Amino acid sequence: MKTLCRLACLALIALATPLRAAGDAAELAQAAASELAAAHDGLERAEGASDRVAALTATIAAYEKGLAAMRESLRAAALREARIRAEFEAQRDEIAALLGTLQTLSREPAPVLMLHPDGPIGTARSGMLMAEATPALNARVVELRERLMEARQMRAVQEAAADQLAQALSGVQQARTALSQAVAERTDLPRRFTADPIKTQILMATAETLRAFAEGLPEITDGPEDPAPQDIPALKGELALPVQGTLLRRAGETDASGITRPGIVLATRPRALVTTPLPATIRYLGPLLDYGNVIVLEPASGLLFVLAGLDIVYGEMGEVLPQGAPIGLMGGEDPEPGAILTQAQRGSGQDRSETLYMEVREGGTPQDPETWFAVTKDTQ
């Protein structure tokens, strides 16, 4: 009986027992930590890469993936810990009764426990009952102990993540700064045309709609223009989104202001990297109408991808970008590690505070972007 009591006490404190793997949350956290470590290594290698823009783009993408995985692991750990604590709270009376019984039995001398007021037969019967009850009590204590150990592991996952998040956020900020510098110094991109700044300003001032602006883009060139590729990309319907994000509004859906647009809206995290989904020419980049910073890409003749709502845009009009090239960053500010932990504990999606608007225009007519991109409501 004293052994049972000691097991029950260990179930309550669980301080001197080594931690065990505690399910998906711990595994996710380990995988995220590995991804973030690999991203840090990539940042160091990017300094000496021959194509620093490509290397830094890959590094930022790795950081974003690792940070997203870390957020998911923290959310899973917080939810699991809360569930365990809620279960203990719901079973508090039962657990207290169990511990009280074990403690009472442990204080009774062994000879007294073997005696029964009804004599030898009563003693035999009580012994049989104890023999049957002991395995059940043991199993219950072991179950409590394992659940408490799991709750402790979930708390350890969250506490250990704070330092990892701080290092990762510092690393991705360094990579963004280095990328902006590398893009500014880039001189090896082919160019299809040169934009006339005066014609561009006139078009910006006179175009009242995005459609009118897109139709007037061929008129802003200064001098001859190399032809665009004629073939429509064969990956239609399978293109990766230009940013890590979640589908917020589909084409044709009305927003809170009562405005209906032919493009989709993606919710992204602050400072998320935006890349070109296909090799494409930059037809325009800069502020436009009420869309904020806009970049218009031309992957093929008559096909335009319009991305609006960026904070920073990279490149110059007329440049031909390879697939996956960086074209800008979303706005906002990176949250502090403590804020990320708080969001994870609440299980909220408030970390995606920025929005990217995306249209596809083919032959001057808006197309549903979901016919071009692999988009679902669960897009991450």
Side-chain angles (χ1 to χ4, degrees):
M1 295 300 173
K2 290 182 179 180
T3 300
L4 285 175
C5 183
R6 285 197 296 270
L7 285 173
C9 291
L10 283 174
L12 287 178
I13 56 175
L15 293 176
T17 309
L19 297 177
R20 305 187 323 179
D24 293 343
E27 294 175 3
L28 281 172
Q30 293 172 358
S34 297
E35 290 179 348
L36 291 173
H40 181 72
D41 293 342
L43 178 57
E44 294 181 348
R45 290 192 302 270
E47 293 301 319
S50 58
D51 188 345
R52 292 186 68 239
V53 171
L56 289 166
T57 301
T59 296
I60 294 173
Y63 269 121
E64 290 184 348
K65 182 180 177 184
L67 284 166
M70 182 61 73
R71 285 182 173 95
E72 185 59 32
S73 71
L74 289 172
R75 187 174 291 111
L79 291 174
R80 181 57 184 158
E81 182 190 15
R83 190 176 298 116
I84 293 171
R85 293 187 182 279
E87 290 172 357
F88 271 105
E89 185 66 23
Q91 301 173 14
R92 180 173 54 185
D93 294 341
E94 177 188 348
I95 294 170
L98 170 63
L99 294 179
T101 300
L102 295 176
Q103 289 172 341
T104 299
L105 291 173
S106 69
R107 289 195 294 266
E108 295 293 341
V112 174
L113 292 174
M114 296 301 296
L115 298 178
H116 195 278
D118 292 340
I121 295 178
T123 299
R125 287 175 178 170
S126 67
M128 294 171 65
L129 290 173
M130 291 298 297
E132 292 177 359
T134 297
L137 290 173
N138 267 319
R140 184 68 174 133
V141 168
V142 169
E143 178 189 352
L144 292 175
R145 178 174 177 273
E146 290 180 346
R147 287 164 62 197
L148 282 165
M149 290 172 65
E150 184 179 357
R152 182 185 175 190
Q153 173 101 15
M154 296 300 95
R155 174 55 54 180
V157 166
Q158 296 172 72
E159 291 174 352
D163 289 340
Q164 294 173 335
L165 287 171
Q167 294 174 7
L169 290 170
S170 175
V172 74
Q173 288 166 1
Q174 292 179 40
R176 290 177 189 138
T177 301
L179 177 63
S180 295
Q181 181 178 354
V183 169
E185 296 172 349
R186 182 174 55 189
T187 59
D188 58 345
L189 287 177
R191 184 184 290 271
R192 280 185 50 219
F193 66 87
T194 300
D196 184 308
I198 296 179
K199 293 178 180 178
T200 303
Q201 289 297 323
I202 292 174
L203 177 61
M204 291 173 60
T206 56
E208 297 181 354
T209 65
L210 184 57
R211 175 179 179 177
F213 183 82
E215 291 175 348
L217 281 174
E219 306 302 323
I220 68 172
T221 58
D222 181 16
E225 175 179 337
D226 293 338
Q230 297 298 311
D231 295 333
I232 299 297
L235 295 176
K236 184 176 180 179
E238 302 175 7
L239 294 178
L241 290 171
V243 68
Q244 270 194 24
T246 300
L247 182 62
L248 185 63
R249 192 158 46 251
R250 288 193 154 96
E253 291 184 348
T254 303
D255 63 18
S257 302
I259 298 174
T260 302
R261 301 185 193 272
I264 64 174
V265 177
L266 300 171
T268 80
R269 294 188 174 94
R271 315 308 294 168
L273 179 68
V274 185
T275 60
T276 177
L278 287 171
T281 303
I282 301 177
R283 294 295 322 189
Y284 173 79
L285 79 168
L288 179 64
L289 301 174
D290 60 345
Y291 289 92
N293 269 335
V294 172
I295 187 162
V296 180
L297 302 173
E298 185 181 31
S301 180
L303 177 64
L304 298 178
F305 293 162
V306 182
L307 306 175
L310 295 88
D311 180 55
I312 297 173
V313 287
Y314 297 138
E316 296 180 8
M317 286 184 276
E319 288 181 338
V320 181
L321 302 176
Q323 182 174 355
I327 54 177
L329 296 174
M330 299 301 296
E333 297 294 335
D334 285 316
E336 296 295 326
I340 295 176
L341 290 170
T342 300
Q343 290 170 349
Q345 289 167 358
R346 293 175 178 171
S348 69
Q350 295 177 352
D351 53 339
R352 294 185 178 91
S353 58
E354 306 303 309
T355 55
L356 179 72
Y357 177 71
M358 181 168 63
E359 275 190 22
V360 175
R361 290 180 170 270
E362 187 175 354
T365 303
Q367 306 291 316
D368 186 347
E370 292 189 57
T371 63
W372 282 88
F373 293 85
V375 181
T376 69
K377 274 291 187 183
D378 298 325
T379 294
Q380 297 296 319

